């Protein structure tokens, strides 16, 4: 037989020595990580006021944009939204609520005028399925005596996907405990 290339089993003293080496390596790694975190907190502390000012300016410019859009809805008839420099803005139709004056009468009209769709639009307990009715064209809703209320326009402002918001939130979250200390 040839000599084995597998090292002989370690003694307890060898294992304890390896554990101490590992512990020392962890301590130095933690010290370096703490040093990096301290530098990060120091760097952020020096720029926190500027960051908060930029956030306030961003909020003010968004509010100014929102106010201008609401003042001129006629500019957003078609297209409803526009994208400029990665910012989508304009108006978006809100779903509104379905209002039915007399549900029984509306059910009778629905069965008379749209018998093939009555089962899908009427619940078993003889109430209207408002989510199904919402899918009908306005003309058909009017034939049934149904009106859409509170279908207002809502301002849309959305930045293109980026990491900026996550970075800012992470920086503020990281800095919050340091401020409290």
């Amino acid at each position: 037989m040839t000599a084995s290339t597998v090292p002989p089993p370690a003694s307890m003293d060898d294992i304890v020595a390896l554990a101490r080496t590992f512990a020392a390596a962890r301590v130095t790694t933690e010290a370096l990580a703490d040093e990096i975190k301290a530098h990060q907190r120091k760097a952020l502390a020096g720029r926190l006021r500027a960051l908060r000012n930029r956030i306030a300016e961003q909020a003010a410019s968004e509010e100014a944009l929102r106010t201008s859009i609401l003042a001129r809805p006629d500019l957003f008839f078609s297209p409803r939204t526009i994208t400029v420099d990665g910012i989508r803005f304009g108006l978006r139709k809100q779903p509104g609520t379905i209002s039915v004056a007399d549900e029984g009468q509306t059910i009778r009209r629905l069965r008379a005028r749209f018998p093939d769709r009555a089962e899908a639009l009427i619940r078993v307990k003889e109430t209207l399925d408002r989510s199904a009715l919402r899918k009908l064209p306005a003309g058909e809703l009017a034939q049934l005596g149904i009106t859409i209320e509170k279908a207002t326009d809502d301002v849309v402002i959305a930045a293109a996907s980026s990491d900026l918001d996550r970075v800012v939130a992470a920086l503020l979250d990281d800095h919050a405990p340091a401020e409290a200390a």
Side-chain angles (χ1 to χ4, degrees), residues 3-151:
S4 174
T5 58
V6 176
S11 68
M12 182 55 82
D13 290 338
D14 293 336
I15 294 174
V16 168
L18 290 172
R20 286 191 174 135
T21 302
F22 176 63
R26 282 185 49 84
V27 167
T28 58
T29 302
E30 287 176 11
L32 180 59
D34 289 342
E35 183 182 335
I36 291 169
K37 287 178 185 176
H39 285 298
Q40 185 181 27
R41 282 192 296 272
K42 185 177 178 183
L44 182 59
R47 304 288 294 162
L48 191 60
R49 176 177 281 153
L51 179 61
R52 287 189 174 142
N53 287 341
R54 296 295 86 72
I55 292 170
E57 287 175 13
Q58 179 181 326
S61 64
E62 181 179 356
E63 186 56 33
L65 178 58
R66 181 178 308 281
T67 301
S68 295
I69 292 168
L70 286 172
R72 292 295 310 270
D74 56 305
L75 296 176
F76 300 96
F77 179 71
S78 181
R80 303 281 288 163
T81 60
I82 301 168
T83 301
V84 174
D85 293 341
I87 303 297
R88 185 170 55 101
F89 59 93
L91 296 173
R92 171 179 54 204
K93 182 64 75 181
Q94 294 300 296
T97 59
I98 288 188
S99 173
V100 179
D102 181 355
E103 197 160 312
Q105 182 179 2
T106 301
I107 289 171
R108 286 189 293 280
R109 283 184 189 153
L110 199 146
R111 285 199 170 126
R113 295 184 182 169
F114 308 109
D116 54 325
R117 291 188 280 171
E119 187 175 318
L121 299 172
I122 301 172
R123 293 191 180 146
V124 175
K125 66 175 194 164
E126 291 286 320
T127 62
L128 295 172
D129 185 347
R130 282 172 168 69
S131 62
L133 287 171
R134 186 176 303 281
K135 297 174 187 173
L136 292 179
E140 291 180 3
L141 290 174
Q143 289 178 8
L144 298 170
I146 299 173
T147 58
I148 301 287
E149 297 177 353
K150 300 179 186 173

